[in-house]
Amino acid sequence: MRVFLVAGEPSGDRLGGALMEGLRSLVPDIQFDGVGGPLMQAQGLDSRFPMAELSVMGLVEVLPKYFHLKRRIAETAQAVLDTQPDVLITIDSPDFSLRVAKIVKAQSKIRTVHYVAPSVWAWRPGRADKMAKVIDHVLALLPFEPPYMERAGMECDFVGHPVASEPVASEADIQEFRDAYSLGAAPLILTLPGSRGGEIDRLAPIFGDVLRLYLKNRPDARVVVPAVAHMVDAVAEHVRAWPGNPVVLDPREMASDQAVKEKRAAFAAAELALAASGTVSLELAAQATPMVIAYRLSWLTQKIAERMVKLDTVTLVNLVSETRTVPECLLDDCQPETIAAALEQVSAAPNAQLEAMATTMERLGHGGEAPGLRAARAVLARMKS
């Protein structure tokens, strides 16, 4: 069996790696091709080009890279057509992935699967109908998503999220992490300004100002900043003037499994996290790390988003748990004073958020079959039906 996969950012790489592991356990002689990051490469993928080229978010931010991305879309679609896999699996990054699927569907009968249902319940509900023209099967991360996809004419299975089945860092893991960076018993503040260049440039200065306010009365606290490999140098430059003697976690000199273990230990060791909006909220929930979410878009992208978003929250922990325990400082509210106040609030009373995190993990599949394996079973079962 031959599978062509396309992922465009670290969260997609995480999903792709777990899916590939599940597929290989069910079909040992499976062959992989496509585009992915270090976790997918660890499962045997020889990425056709660096996944980092696709990690762009925001309408305005895409424009400078438009022609390059368009070439990559055509190149990737042609590779699928040339190799004729049994299935094309695109993972999130819909602006890239669905354009590849559209070209493939127009010129072949190759089966198409998209992993991560578009958030039609949050904005642009018409996307499901357009997607149904090029996608046969959707793998959904959230339990309430299948009806939206099925209504548009696609097969859809809720498979949960791999983060729900990943191990929780042990006390030994946490101590090893603290020892490795000479952190002693200092309180740790985890700070995550994103994984893309544009969002880091926007958020890092704000997050630095937040830390100056929040750490004013916490002189013993240390700041830990996980970074994706291609952004380490940019992150290090931004945090140079931050308080808290920041430690930037650099995965470039480690095996992928060791980098994941270290990041997990850092999350579990932290007493509090300030993070950009995204899948990272689930990673923090898995390690029971209380958080505040903050995000700002470019001016034009923000104005467009304000007209399209239908929900009062964008954080997956809030959505899945059906609570609003994770404070969000978004768009015009992404201000240092507002964010610092939210951190104070969560630090003083984290229990409600911790309960919401536990509920989220349970609803995403914690304690059941690994979501990557569930996704693999769903792909294979629908191919046979």
Side-chain angles (χ1 to χ4, degrees):
M1 180 179 176
R2 291 174 299 166
V3 180
F4 198 106
L5 303 103
V6 179
E9 54 188 319
S11 59
D13 182 48
R14 186 189 192 96
L15 294 171
L19 171 59
M20 291 168 67
E21 183 178 11
L23 285 169
R24 190 177 294 286
S25 73
L26 299 173
V27 186
D29 62 347
I30 197 167
Q31 298 176 30
F32 297 121
D33 194 355
V35 180
L39 299 180
M40 293 171 68
Q41 291 170 33
Q43 294 298 325
L45 180 71
D46 184 9
S47 187
R48 286 178 171 262
F49 55 83
M51 186 190 72
E53 292 185 19
L54 308 183
S55 295
V56 184
M57 182 176 181
L59 302 174
V60 175
E61 292 79 0
V62 169
L63 291 177
K65 298 187 176 182
Y66 173 77
F67 291 107
H68 178 71
L69 290 171
K70 191 173 181 180
R71 283 193 298 272
R72 286 302 197 194
I73 289 168
E75 175 186 327
T76 304
Q78 190 59 53
V80 178
L81 294 168
D82 289 344
T83 57
Q84 290 291 303
D86 295 291
V87 60
L88 164 64
I89 303 177
T90 54
I91 307 170
D92 210 358
S93 302
D95 290 333
F96 185 90
S97 295
L98 299 184
R99 284 174 170 81
V100 170
K102 181 178 180 180
I103 296 172
V104 170
K105 272 299 186 187
Q107 301 181 46
S108 75
K109 294 184 178 180
I110 294 171
R111 182 169 178 79
T112 54
V113 177
H114 190 65
Y115 196 174
V116 183
S119 305
V120 297
W121 34 267
W123 68 302
R124 288 172 59 193
R127 284 180 297 163
D129 294 328
K130 292 180 180 177
M131 184 172 160
K133 297 175 182 177
V134 301
I135 295 296
D136 300 309
H137 179 202
V138 179
L139 303 173
L141 302 183
L142 307 179
F144 54 79
E145 291 178 320
Y148 292 95
M149 303 297 104
E150 293 166 348
R151 196 175 301 132
M154 292 171 283
E155 299 169 339
C156 186
D157 293 294
F158 164 62
V159 298
H161 196 291
V163 73
S165 65
E166 292 177 356
V168 174
S170 67
E171 289 299 323
D173 293 335
I174 292 171
Q175 191 59 53
E176 181 182 342
F177 168 73
R178 284 184 172 275
D179 291 345
Y181 291 96
S182 303
L183 295 168
L188 303 184
I189 310 300
L190 201 66
T191 310
L192 302 113
S195 61
R196 307 175 185 92
E199 64 189 3
I200 292 170
D201 289 342
R202 285 192 302 276
L203 294 177
I206 297 171
F207 284 14
D209 288 341
V210 172
L211 292 171
R212 290 182 189 94
L213 292 171
Y214 183 73
L215 298 181
K216 192 177 297 183
N217 298 318
R218 297 171 175 84
D220 58 335
R222 295 291 302 277
V223 173
V224 177
V225 191
V228 294
H230 66 284
M231 286 287 125
V232 171
D233 292 336
V235 169
E237 183 62 31
H238 275 293
V239 308
R240 197 183 305 278
W242 284 8
N245 192 12
V247 171
V248 177
L249 304 187
D250 184 349
R252 293 175 296 186
E253 302 301 321
M254 302 181 192
S256 59
D257 57 343
Q258 181 60 32
V260 170
K261 180 183 177 182
E262 179 177 87
K263 181 179 177 184
R264 188 184 296 137
F267 279 38
E271 68 174 33
L272 192 60
L274 168 59
S277 176
T279 310
V280 71
S281 70
L282 296 182
E283 297 179 63
L284 291 165
Q287 303 301 323
T289 307
M291 73 188 89
V292 171
I293 298 298
Y295 206 76
R296 176 177 288 178
L297 296 164
S298 66
W299 182 85
L300 181 57
T301 303
Q302 175 175 324
K303 294 305 175 187
I304 295 171
E306 287 171 348
R307 297 172 62 89
M308 301 173 77
V309 175
K310 300 186 298 180
L311 292 180
D312 66 337
T313 182
V314 299
T315 301
L316 289 172
V317 172
N318 287 342
L319 288 165
V320 176
S321 67
E322 299 176 276
T323 69
R324 297 297 182 265
T325 61
V326 178
E328 297 174 324
C329 302
L330 308 175
L331 307 180
D332 289 339
D333 289 332
C334 187
Q335 303 291 341
E337 295 80 5
T338 306
I339 300 168
L343 288 171
E344 294 283 1
Q345 171 194 335
V346 172
S347 177
N351 288 344
Q353 192 178 124
L354 292 171
E355 291 174 8
M357 291 175 180
T359 298
T360 297
M361 291 299 106
E362 179 183 350
R363 291 181 178 178
L364 291 184
H366 180 68
E369 187 173 59
L373 183 56
R374 289 174 62 181
R377 290 192 195 282
V379 168
L380 298 174
R382 295 285 190 176
M383 288 179 70
K384 295 175 182 176
S385 63

